[in-house]
Amino acid sequence: EKKKVFASNDWVSCLDWNSQNASLLAGFYNGTVEVLDGALPKDILPSKSIQVVPAESSGSRCMINDAVWVRDTYVAAACQNGNVYVIHANTQAKHAECTNTNGQNAASLATSATCLAMGKASLYTGYSDGTMNTYDLSRIDDHHDQVDGDVHETKKSGSKRKASDKQGQSTMDVSSTHTFRSPSIGGSVTSMSLANNTTLLSASSDGLIASWDLNKQVLTNTIPAGMSKYITDISLCTTTPSLGVCSCFDGALRVFDLQSPVQVVSSILRPNLPAGQNSKAMLCVQWAPNQEFYIQAGGKDGCLYVWDIRSSRVPVHKFENAHGPQGSVTCVQWSSTNDDEFRSFSGGSDGKIAQYRFART
């Protein structure tokens, strides 16, 4: 079963599910995030809009590349302008603009914040210049107790600056505590995934996956999972954290095992296409939480796929035209993976969010 639960005029860039309050977070190319109430059995889910990056004087907007929940109450958004904003989801206070690298304007450096991964208290941010920063958000609740309607902005810079919005609301300026540099050559960080808050995986646009020990803050492994192809997304298995999957621009999903003595891809998943038809780019993938074998993925062919990696030849579920005849599936998010029934969401280039419910096979 598939149904549309939200509609916008701009591409949906990312989704993140909050299981504690059954809320879906969605980021859009127009600089906004939406918080959708997923607990209500309605066709169109009630939503709350947060304008993260206001329209500039030229009328242009700064797109949201990624957004995640922080402690069930805050929203972190990685923006094309290179900044990352952490906003209280209920107060929706305005953010403060600032530079992000050594006092220089982010746009002049052409460095955008591309992806996020949230640990217990640390927010990991990937950038288009191949670096990853760690931001300590452990004091975010303390700061919220001091001011009403707080907005926190993390900067790539090591310099600190206090700022306030037009209403005089205080902001907490968070500087990076550590910087990782991707071993890829000239590649941007496209996606990240955490394993037990001790290992960070990063994927790059040149097809390389890097594994980092967060305790020692060192690079431990690299896997050429993309086979020199652009990796668009990466996800780890929660039941077996050594297993991972990445989606690639050549239309393939590649499964890998971090504990394998030979660091190569263990299996490749591709849609079963008619003869002569080429695969289109896979744009997103996510391993089902608390499930060892199931993943979902989508891409430029407009289909949502659900795979059982034990049978890699054919997907167990396929939803065609998930976002219109010409639309792409740009992001996916599981919401429930019970023993008998799975539920998930997808966002698309048509600006819509769709919800799916299907039986486990």
Side-chain angles (χ1 to χ4, degrees):
E1 178 189 359
K2 170 204 164 188
K3 64 179 181 180
K4 181 187 72 175
V5 294
F6 184 82
S8 172
N9 295 324
D10 289 273
W11 278 43
V12 187
S13 57
C14 53
L15 297 170
D16 193 33
W17 178 251
N18 186 335
S19 60
Q20 294 299 316
N21 55 25
S23 295
L24 181 70
L25 176 65
F28 293 84
Y29 275 18
N30 63 1
T32 64
V33 295
E34 296 281 343
V35 178
L36 283 72
D37 188 348
L40 298 177
K42 294 186 177 181
D43 290 338
I44 302 298
L45 296 182
S47 63
K48 178 168 50 182
S49 181
I50 302 174
Q51 185 68 58
V52 178
V53 184
E56 300 175 356
S57 56
S58 62
S60 62
R61 304 225 177 184
C62 182
M63 69 177 64
I64 305 297
N65 287 325
D66 199 6
V68 296
W69 284 103
V70 178
R71 296 192 178 183
D72 303 324
T73 307
Y74 302 89
V75 172
C79 302
Q80 189 70 18
N81 65 5
N83 291 332
V84 178
Y85 303 96
V86 184
I87 303 172
H88 196 280
N90 293 326
T91 61
Q92 304 179 48
K94 294 180 180 179
H95 62 80
E97 299 284 352
C98 70
T99 57
N100 78 336
T101 303
N102 297 325
Q104 295 179 320
N105 187 278
S108 66
L109 296 175
T111 301
S112 63
T114 54
C115 52
L116 300 170
M118 187 64 206
K120 289 183 178 179
S122 296
L123 178 66
Y124 302 93
T125 304
Y127 293 92
S128 59
D129 63 358
T131 60
M132 294 167 289
N133 278 354
T134 304
Y135 298 104
D136 182 3
L137 300 183
S138 60
R139 294 182 57 246
I140 200 169
D141 288 326
D142 295 337
H143 187 71
H144 177 64
D145 292 339
Q146 297 172 8
V147 292
D148 183 23
D150 60 334
V151 177
H152 312 285
E153 178 171 341
T154 68
K155 301 190 304 176
K156 198 177 176 188
S157 167
S159 61
K160 295 184 177 181
R161 174 178 67 89
K162 289 185 178 180
S164 59
D165 63 16
K166 293 181 179 180
Q167 298 176 347
Q169 294 166 325
S170 173
T171 65
M172 182 176 71
D173 207 357
V174 183
S175 296
S176 60
T177 58
H178 187 77
T179 298
F180 301 91
R181 180 163 291 279
S182 172
S184 64
I185 301 177
S188 63
V189 181
T190 57
S191 182
M192 297 184 298
S193 187
L194 278 170
N196 297 327
N197 285 299
T198 58
T199 301
L200 175 68
L201 258 64
S202 63
S204 64
S205 57
D206 61 358
L208 190 67
I209 290 177
S211 176
W212 307 84
D213 185 322
L214 295 178
N215 293 326
K216 298 179 180 179
Q217 298 183 340
V218 294
L219 176 69
T220 57
N221 221 339
T222 57
I223 305 173
M227 306 302 179
S228 300
K229 300 295 184 181
Y230 193 113
I231 298 177
T232 56
D233 202 2
I234 189 172
S235 181
L236 288 174
C237 176
T238 58
T239 59
T240 309
S242 65
L243 291 178
V245 62
C246 64
S247 56
C248 300
F249 219 71
D250 64 350
L253 303 175
R254 292 180 168 89
V255 180
F256 56 89
D257 189 345
L258 295 173
Q259 294 182 351
S260 172
V262 181
Q263 293 301 327
V264 295
V265 173
S266 59
S267 62
I268 298 178
L269 311 178
R270 287 184 184 272
N272 191 14
L273 300 176
Q277 185 174 341
N278 295 324
S279 299
K280 294 186 178 180
M282 283 289 183
L283 301 178
C284 49
V285 64
Q286 189 181 36
W287 210 294
N290 304 316
Q291 297 289 334
E292 187 175 0
F293 303 113
Y294 293 93
I295 62 175
Q296 65 173 339
K300 286 194 171 183
D301 65 357
C303 299
L304 176 80
Y305 298 95
V306 179
W307 296 85
D308 182 337
I309 64 171
R310 295 169 296 184
S311 177
S312 59
R313 297 182 64 87
V314 180
V316 295
H317 292 286
K318 178 182 178 181
F319 296 88
E320 297 185 355
N321 297 326
H323 291 276
Q326 304 299 321
S328 298
V329 178
T330 54
C331 46
V332 291
Q333 176 63 54
W334 295 100
S335 60
S336 175
T337 53
N338 296 325
D339 290 338
D340 298 327
E341 184 181 72
F342 289 175
R343 295 190 181 191
S344 69
F345 295 93
S346 71
S349 58
D350 61 350
K352 295 180 175 61
I353 297 174
Q355 186 178 36
Y356 307 85
R357 184 175 63 185
F358 45 87
R360 175 177 177 174
T361 57

